[in-house]
Amino acid sequence: MGVMKPLLKAGMVVGAVHLGATALAKKLDEQPDPFQLEELTHPLPGTEGIVLREDGTRLRTIVQGSGDTVVLCHDFGGAAEAWNLVAEQLVREGFRIIAFDQRGHGRSTVGSDGFGSAVMAGDLAEVMTHYDVRDATLVGHSLGAFLALKYLLDSDHDGPDRVKGLVLVAGHAGDLAQDAAQAMLRPALLKSGAVNAITQSETYGRLLASVLFGRPSPSATEALRRMMSTQPHATLAAMAEIQAEESLYPRLGDVNTPTKVLCGTADRIVPAHHSERIAARIEDADLIWLDGAGHMIPWEDPAAVVTAIRQLV
């Protein structure tokens, strides 16, 4: 009997949590749905290719359209398909887009060098060289923004000569450890396998995904859950730690590329002060606030991303 009471209490707590989660998921289903699930989840159209790195990493790339080149770098735990809505608008307006899966994400592999900011910025440099990119607009979302800055700041490649404009979407320049609670919790959750387990559940996975949105919708949260559920989050934890510990902020004064910094006022993943610091330290940078948007700006306000690119071009 002494054992049964704690078990009964635990069962009641679990039941209450599940009922609450189910109610929240039902409420989420009632939200407006500006985009269809198919729009967000279909394979990014274009010509697929493989860029091979010296350490054996195979980077999946997609090239589509013609005209001024835009290179798209996705976020942590994402894939090239995170740019579906943005890429569609860009191609329709006469741009050429190059997107790729970061190493360890989507259909790209991880070679012997593992993860690291210099290694992953080197991946971007190799993609640029492989496609002989010139006068491009470089667009980075979250982790992609961090790596885009690292790419431009590294001195062992010709990045600044290949990029004429920079768009940083819900971005940061590292130093996430100052956001202590998030920085400590995120790698631990990733390493534990909890994120992988949660995203396998349609109910709990969608609720987790909804945190990344300022205006969560049924299709967007389900699309993000599906994308997150395919990623090896425990392996990617190393990159989360690097973003927390490394800081590019002291070097941002060396970025001489015209820059647009997009930040959602409801971003709960990367606090707004990161966008403010970036815009303050890059001389030729404009800070653009997107009212009500969260972290997933490429799906919440793709038109704002396209507008920023168009303004730079």
Side-chain angles (χ1 to χ4, degrees):
M1 189 68 178
V3 176
M4 288 301 296
K5 280 187 177 180
L7 288 176
L8 286 170
K9 287 182 179 179
M12 291 173 66
V13 170
V14 171
V17 169
H18 183 68
L19 286 173
T22 303
L24 287 173
K26 184 177 180 181
K27 186 176 181 180
L28 179 60
D29 285 334
E30 297 170 354
Q31 300 304 308
D33 216 353
F35 301 106
Q36 298 299 310
L37 184 60
E38 169 61 21
E39 294 180 90
L40 303 173
T41 58
H42 68 73
L44 190 64
T47 302
E48 288 203 13
I50 297 293
V51 173
L52 185 63
R53 298 282 278 132
E54 290 182 357
D55 71 334
T57 295
R58 294 170 62 85
L59 301 169
R60 171 212 179 206
T61 63
I62 303 98
V63 181
Q64 182 186 9
S66 60
D68 290 313
T69 299
V70 179
V71 180
L72 302 169
C73 303
H74 68 74
D75 58 331
F76 181 92
E81 279 68 31
W83 294 110
N84 268 352
L85 300 179
V86 171
E88 180 183 348
Q89 290 190 40
L90 288 173
V91 171
R92 193 164 56 238
E93 294 191 21
F95 289 91
R96 173 192 185 222
I97 65 106
I98 300 174
F100 68 103
D101 292 341
Q102 308 273 10
R103 67 169 55 207
H105 295 72
R107 300 213 299 273
S108 290
T109 63
V110 185
S112 59
D113 288 343
F115 294 98
S117 62
V119 171
M120 295 181 75
D123 292 343
L124 173 56
E126 193 66 31
V127 170
M128 291 284 205
T129 301
H130 181 86
Y131 289 104
D132 193 25
V133 173
R134 300 288 173 183
D135 295 328
T137 302
L138 178 57
V139 185
H141 175 216
S142 195
L143 167 65
F146 174 66
L147 295 174
L149 288 167
K150 179 72 173 177
Y151 165 75
L152 289 175
L153 289 166
D154 275 358
S155 58
D156 59 349
H157 58 73
D158 57 354
D161 296 330
R162 295 184 182 275
V163 176
K164 67 179 179 182
L166 180 64
V167 180
L168 304 177
V169 183
H172 63 83
D175 200 19
L176 293 181
Q178 68 169 298
D179 309 313
Q182 287 192 52
M184 292 173 62
L185 185 61
R186 193 176 302 162
L189 283 173
L190 294 167
K191 288 180 180 179
S192 71
V195 174
N196 283 99
I198 291 170
T199 55
Q200 299 305 314
S201 163
E202 185 172 336
T203 298
Y204 292 98
R206 288 172 60 217
L207 292 178
L208 176 63
S210 70
V211 176
L212 279 75
F213 294 87
R215 296 179 289 264
S217 68
S219 292
T221 52
E222 172 59 14
L224 184 57
R225 182 197 71 81
R226 293 184 186 184
M227 184 176 291
M228 293 169 66
S229 71
T230 65
Q231 306 298 337
H233 293 284
T235 303
L236 299 178
M239 200 60 220
E241 292 176 334
I242 290 166
Q243 293 176 86
E245 297 167 3
E246 184 175 348
S247 178
L248 302 177
Y249 286 103
R251 302 174 59 195
L252 291 185
D254 294 333
V255 176
N256 299 313
T257 305
T259 302
K260 301 288 185 182
V261 181
L262 275 61
C263 183
T265 60
D267 191 337
R268 288 171 283 182
I269 304 302
V270 175
H273 64 78
H274 286 282
S275 290
E276 293 172 333
R277 289 172 71 188
I278 291 171
R281 298 191 181 203
I282 296 178
E283 184 176 352
D284 194 3
D286 296 325
L287 177 56
I288 301 167
W289 293 104
L290 302 178
D291 189 38
H295 192 65
M296 288 300 294
I297 292 173
W299 283 358
E300 289 190 81
D301 198 345
V305 181
V306 173
T307 298
I309 294 168
R310 193 189 307 117
Q311 289 172 346
L312 287 172
V313 173

